[in-house]
Amino acid sequence: MIHPIKSIEARIQRYQSKHFEKTKYGKAIANLKDSHTGEQCFIIGNGPSLTTEDLTVLHNNNVDCFATNNILKLFSKTLWRPKYYVCEDILVIKDIEDKINKAPLKNKFIPINYHWYDNVNVKNAFYFYQIFSKNAIKFSHNAAKGIVCKGTVTTTCIQLAVYMGYTDIYLLGVDHSYSQTIDDKGNIITDNSIKDYFDDEYATTMKKKALPNLDETTRAYIDIKHCCDEIGVNVYNATRGGKLEVYKRVDFDTLF
């Protein structure tokens, strides 16, 4: 028999998931809408091409940045800090939840789904509702209502950036390649010549993360590009190398 309190909580959560923009969490995110209209930002990936030197350039130029997952490992090596931090993989969150709580970050975005169902508790977080959809919904234009999970946290960052009004979005350190991936048929593909992350210790930690499906992720990036093109938002790839060719390439060294 289901405990009556648990049953009540489940009904409340179901209602809130359908009307998330009316919750205190949704209203907090709504306050961010168009707060950076016409501005530029960087979304920082954790690929092997990422360097602290490039992050220092962003810091010295006071550029707004989104960053994710265990980017926290670089904080001891640079004065740079992201303005917005996002973590949406439950395996990663469970592994570094204490570090996320202690990190000197003002704006942390975490799925409410994990707060409800997995006892994740990140203090003062912007909790957003995570929509899992491979086909039906390609892009969320209302982050206060929910954000579409598209196989990589980078697309979540792009949706948040668009909601906040940024019109020029640059990707850096998004190498789009891993030593071990899984394809649409479930086959595991291994290439040990590829380095996964900017830090070998980071790679060891991330072994707990689900294997990435790069075909699925590429389709997600294409969906995001189409949606951004329709509303006049420019997404550029300033990554040094890497294999992401969906977005127009720009040379990071010429931007500042």
Side-chain angles (χ1 to χ4, degrees):
M1 181 177 179
I2 300 176
H3 194 284
I5 294 179
K6 292 294 184 181
S7 178
I8 293 172
E9 288 179 351
R11 289 198 296 270
I12 292 173
Q13 289 164 358
R14 281 197 297 271
Y15 176 83
Q16 289 183 332
S17 67
K18 293 178 181 179
H19 307 278
F20 196 72
E21 71 276 17
K22 296 180 180 180
T23 68
K24 65 179 181 180
Y25 308 111
K27 290 177 180 177
I29 293 175
N31 288 333
L32 299 173
K33 182 173 174 56
D34 296 330
S35 55
H36 295 284
T37 299
E39 298 178 19
Q40 71 167 14
C41 69
F42 270 71
I43 295 174
I44 309 301
N46 297 318
S49 66
L50 185 66
T51 68
T52 53
E53 290 79 11
D54 288 345
L55 294 179
T56 297
V57 171
L58 295 175
H59 170 74
N60 291 341
N61 284 276
N62 198 30
V63 177
D64 289 356
C65 295
F66 290 73
T68 66
N69 297 339
N70 215 348
I71 191 71
L72 315 177
K73 280 185 171 294
L74 285 181
F75 285 6
S76 63
K77 301 176 182 179
T78 175
L79 294 175
W80 169 88
R81 297 292 183 271
K83 188 177 184 72
Y84 301 106
Y85 171 83
V86 186
C87 193
E88 66 174 19
D89 186 300
I90 185 56
L91 297 178
V92 178
I93 294 174
K94 280 294 188 180
D95 192 52
I96 63 171
E97 183 177 350
D98 185 57
K99 294 179 181 177
I100 295 173
N101 268 314
K102 293 178 180 179
L105 299 166
K106 293 182 179 179
N107 305 295
K108 306 173 186 179
F109 290 84
I110 305 291
I112 191 70
N113 314 57
Y114 303 143
H115 181 59
W116 285 342
Y117 309 125
D118 296 281
N119 297 316
V120 168
N121 186 24
V122 175
K123 300 173 184 176
N124 302 315
F126 282 98
Y127 282 111
F128 65 92
Y129 182 65
Q130 195 173 36
I131 303 170
F132 293 95
S133 173
K134 291 185 178 180
N135 299 309
I137 306 173
K138 297 181 178 181
F139 190 96
S140 171
H141 292 283
N142 185 357
K145 190 172 184 178
I147 301 175
V148 180
C149 176
K150 300 287 287 184
T152 170
V153 67
T154 304
T155 59
T156 295
C157 292
I158 294 174
Q159 291 173 79
L160 277 169
V162 170
Y163 185 72
M164 294 180 193
Y166 290 104
T167 51
D168 291 290
I169 300 170
Y170 296 84
L171 308 182
L172 182 67
V174 182
D175 290 65
H176 195 52
S177 61
Y178 298 92
S179 61
Q180 195 168 58
T181 61
I182 189 168
D183 65 17
D184 288 336
K185 296 180 180 179
N187 300 312
I188 296 176
I189 303 165
T190 301
D191 183 347
N192 291 323
S193 68
I194 297 176
K195 184 177 179 180
D196 289 343
Y197 301 101
F198 60 75
D199 180 90
D200 290 337
E201 184 182 347
Y202 187 124
T204 301
T205 301
M206 294 296 282
K207 291 294 184 184
K208 299 178 182 179
K209 186 177 182 291
L211 288 179
N213 181 331
L214 291 185
D215 291 333
E216 181 181 317
T217 304
T218 299
R219 290 192 294 269
Y221 280 131
I222 292 171
D223 287 344
I224 292 288
K225 183 180 187 305
H226 288 164
C227 293
C228 287
D229 287 346
E230 289 176 354
I231 59 176
V233 172
N234 303 306
V235 182
Y236 303 102
N237 186 3
T239 299
R240 297 183 185 278
K243 296 183 179 180
L244 180 58
E245 304 300 341
V246 173
Y247 306 106
K248 180 180 178 181
R249 290 273 190 171
V250 293
D251 183 352
F252 180 85
D253 293 322
T254 68
L255 298 176
F256 302 97

